[in-house]
Amino acid sequence: MNPLKKKPRSNAYQPAPEKPDWLKVRLPFREKENPVDFVRSSVEGGKLNTVCESASCPNLNHCWSRKTATYMLAGDICTRRCSYCDVAFGKPLALDPEEPLRVAESAKVLGLSHVVITSVNRDDLSDGGAAHYKKTVELIRERLPECKIEILVPDFKMREENLEIVYSSKPDIFNHNLETVERLFPTVAPAKKYERSLDVLEHASKRGLLTKSGLILGLGETLEEVHQTLKDLRSVGVQMITLGQYLQPTPTHLPVSEYIRPEVFKDLKEFGKALGFRTVFSGPLVRSSYHADEQVPWFEN
């Protein structure tokens, strides 16, 4: 674990409330030949980072048992300090020029048909890490020509020249998470801007990319605010959406305001479909890359 993760996210200390039954993950007994060990071996052997581990995703064992993982580029230290996120923040190290190749080789070893690539924010770099994304996508494409490639990117401060670098790699899905409603942006993600994120998604949509975004709920938003946010996302051309429950990583992270009941997620799924989203993944344990591979065939029918 990166020692920077031990830094408190705030001076406040508030333990998370007891999780309801629908948020408790039951793990199966370990098998002799465990796919989780296979994925871990590939990731650790390639000295790679995954958002699964760095962001303390509750679905790690589930996804890795399916031999899928979300690669995290550009190191494991983020330049932004979001109050909900468990990725370490601080001064990042220099980019590793061999990382894109190691990611591509790992994806090939795992035999992935759908790869999700994300990164930490690299506001210290002139291109925000855009060329690093481009190189990684191109190397995966060389080794796995039939593989679908989904990129989950930061906002690049809405610098069009950097976005164009990413577009030129021709990813199958362009994902940028809005994360929360407009009112909560200053508290949840103070280095981000609601309108800027919408602008990024609209810019990608107008370039003909298939766009996707995600929200985490239970941060204090109202249902009306969620509805408006979904409308805003549709208005800028977003076609795929994920909705999941916020889980507080440590007692110094932003506290959970509410555990959203499964039936609310079900209603939001229907609301999203009625707005015209082509796919809506909505549920307590849903994350941006949760079963990402299962969303692709819909578009090919």
Side-chain angles (χ1 to χ4, degrees), residues 25-45:
V25 178
R26 279 121 183 128
L27 299 176
F29 284 108
R30 224 172 150 75
E31 300 175 359
K32 186 175 181 181
E33 294 184 3
N34 194 300
V36 174
D37 292 336
F38 182 64
V39 174
R40 187 175 299 282
S41 175
S42 176
V43 169
E44 292 182 353

Side-chain angles (χ1 to χ4, degrees), residues 35-36 38-40 42-43 48-53 59-60 62-72 103 106-107 110 112 114-118 140 150 289-293:
V36 174
F38 182 64
V39 174
R40 187 175 299 282
S42 176
V43 169
L48 301 173
N49 297 301
T50 67
V51 74
C52 322
E53 292 182 299
N59 298 320
L60 185 149
H62 172 74
C63 292
W64 286 22
S65 69
R66 301 174 69 242
K67 292 187 179 180
T68 62
T70 299
Y71 298 103
M72 190 172 74
V103 169
S106 175
L110 294 178
L112 299 180
H114 188 108
V115 178
V116 182
I117 306 163
T118 190
I140 293 173
E150 177 178 335
S289 55
Y290 181 76
H291 285 240
D293 56 317

Side-chain angles (χ1 to χ4, degrees), residues 82-95:
C82 297
S83 60
Y84 68 93
C85 181
D86 202 30
V87 175
F89 67 92
K91 183 178 180 181
L93 302 176
L95 285 181

Side-chain angles (χ1 to χ4, degrees), residues 248-259:
Q248 184 181 353
T250 74
T252 67
H253 280 74
L254 197 68
V256 176
S257 176
E258 178 186 5
Y259 288 128

Side-chain angles (χ1 to χ4, degrees), residues 7-269:
K7 291 171 62 176
R9 199 53 49 121
S10 72
N11 292 325
Y13 187 92
Q14 185 169 336
E18 177 69 20
K19 294 183 179 67
D21 285 342
W22 66 80
L23 276 171
K24 294 178 180 177
V25 178
R26 279 121 183 128
L27 299 176
F29 284 108
R30 224 172 150 75
E31 300 175 359
K32 186 175 181 181
E33 294 184 3
N34 194 300
V36 174
D37 292 336
F38 182 64
V39 174
R40 187 175 299 282
S41 175
S42 176
V43 169
E44 292 182 353
K47 297 180 180 179
L48 301 173
N49 297 301
T50 67
V51 74
C52 322
E53 292 182 299
S54 294
S56 304
C57 180
N59 298 320
L60 185 149
N61 279 280
H62 172 74
C63 292
W64 286 22
S65 69
R66 301 174 69 242
K67 292 187 179 180
T68 62
T70 299
Y71 298 103
M72 190 172 74
L73 302 177
D76 62 349
I77 303 174
C78 188
T79 55
R80 299 187 187 180
R81 183 180 181 174
C82 297
S83 60
Y84 68 93
C85 181
D86 202 30
V87 175
F89 67 92
K91 183 178 180 181
L93 302 176
L95 285 181
D96 179 352
E98 298 302 316
E99 183 182 48
L101 177 60
R102 295 200 305 273
V103 169
E105 292 293 346
S106 175
K108 183 178 179 180
V109 167
L110 294 178
L112 299 180
S113 60
H114 188 108
V115 178
V116 182
I117 306 163
T118 190
S119 74
V120 290
N121 284 281
R122 291 299 303 259
D123 295 327
D124 59 311
L125 302 174
S126 60
D127 72 345
H132 210 59
Y133 268 102
K134 176 180 169 66
K135 184 177 180 182
T136 305
V137 172
E138 291 175 344
L139 288 172
I140 293 173
R141 193 83 72 194
E142 286 178 7
R143 285 154 180 76
L144 295 167
E146 303 301 318
C147 182
K148 300 297 182 184
I149 302 177
E150 177 178 335
I151 57 172
L152 171 56
V153 301
D155 60 26
F156 295 109
K157 294 188 175 179
M158 192 47 215
R159 291 176 179 163
E160 292 190 24
E161 65 273 20
N162 295 338
L163 289 169
E164 293 292 350
I165 292 172
V166 174
Y167 301 160
S168 67
S169 66
K170 298 180 180 180
D172 294 287
I173 299 173
F174 180 96
N175 189 348
H176 174 65
N177 282 338
L178 203 58
E179 306 293 11
T180 191
V181 301
E182 184 174 14
R183 176 177 58 85
L184 295 178
F185 255 62
T187 301
V188 175
K192 291 180 66 176
K193 295 180 180 178
Y194 185 81
E195 288 298 331
R196 185 168 67 192
S197 285
L198 289 176
D199 287 345
V200 167
L201 289 161
E202 184 172 34
H203 193 272
S205 295
K206 287 182 176 179
R207 289 296 189 278
L209 278 79
L210 178 60
T211 50
K212 176 180 176 180
S213 191
L215 301 176
I216 47 175
L217 308 183
L219 291 165
E221 69 288 334
T222 67
L223 188 58
E224 291 74 18
E225 287 175 319
V226 177
H227 286 171
Q228 184 58 54
T229 304
L230 291 174
K231 291 176 183 177
D232 291 343
L233 286 167
R234 275 301 296 137
S235 73
V236 297
V238 173
Q239 299 185 56
M240 307 170 71
I241 188 73
T242 58
L243 302 164
Q245 169 71 51
Y246 169 61
L247 297 175
Q248 184 181 353
T250 74
T252 67
H253 280 74
L254 197 68
V256 176
S257 176
E258 178 186 5
Y259 288 128
I260 310 299
R261 298 190 63 83
E263 53 265 32
V264 176
F265 280 107
K266 184 178 179 181
D267 290 344
L268 286 171
K269 180 175 182 176

